[in-house]
Amino acid sequence: SGGPTPREIEDVLAEIGTALDVDAALTLSEYNPPPSHRRAAGDLAYVKAVMPDGLCVHVTATPLGFYVSRSTGERYDPRPVVGKGDNSCCFSHSLLDCLLLRSKSLRTAWAAAIQASQRRADYLTSLPPDSNDIFAA
């Protein structure tokens, strides 16, 4: 039919797929569950995120959203981190947005993954209609 072979399609998708991987980890922090005095203050949970560059970020979850806390692997302190700027604690209603505000390496990896996702969508929609048969196998 003149279109790409199934192997060629698989190769292109595999290459795009590697850019879709964002090397970050998200787990519940070792400081869970919040102690009663912190639950009374509104803390719901504590999250630990390891960014693509290895930076470990501790986040406090509240009913209003998420913020980067002062906690570290060695010290529990769920209060917002203080620094330069009005939003140094990276407060956001979304956990992803909070982490994107905090980490340049995550912003870079996330942007690359979004671009790869668009490339994959563009590639798949550019294939001839009979190319869909390879996905049925």
Side-chain angles (χ1 to χ4, degrees), residues 32-122:
N32 281 297
S36 59
H37 72 283
R38 290 303 306 179
R39 281 195 309 272
D43 292 3
L44 300 174
Y46 304 122
V47 177
K48 181 169 65 174
V50 180
M51 301 296 104
D53 62 358
L55 174 70
C56 183
V57 177
H58 288 262
V59 175
T60 298
T62 72
L64 297 176
F66 303 87
Y67 62 84
V68 176
S69 76
R70 299 178 193 185
S71 292
T72 67
E74 296 80 35
R75 183 175 47 88
Y76 169 73
D77 187 348
R79 296 175 299 160
V81 76
V82 178
K84 295 177 183 169
D86 290 338
N87 194 22
S88 58
C89 67
C90 305
F91 177 81
S92 179
H93 298 290
S94 155
L95 177 57
L96 176 61
D97 288 343
C98 174
L99 295 172
L100 288 169
L101 285 168
R102 176 63 182 92
S103 172
K104 183 176 181 179
S105 69
L106 182 62
R107 282 192 304 276
T108 301
W110 191 257
I114 295 295
Q115 288 175 347
S117 177
Q118 185 61 53
R119 280 197 322 272
R120 179 180 59 190
D122 292 345

Side-chain angles (χ1 to χ4, degrees), residues 120-135:
R120 179 180 59 190
D122 292 345
Y123 179 72
L124 290 173
T125 57
S126 73
L127 293 173
D130 63 345
S131 298
N132 289 333
D133 295 342
I134 71 158
F135 298 110

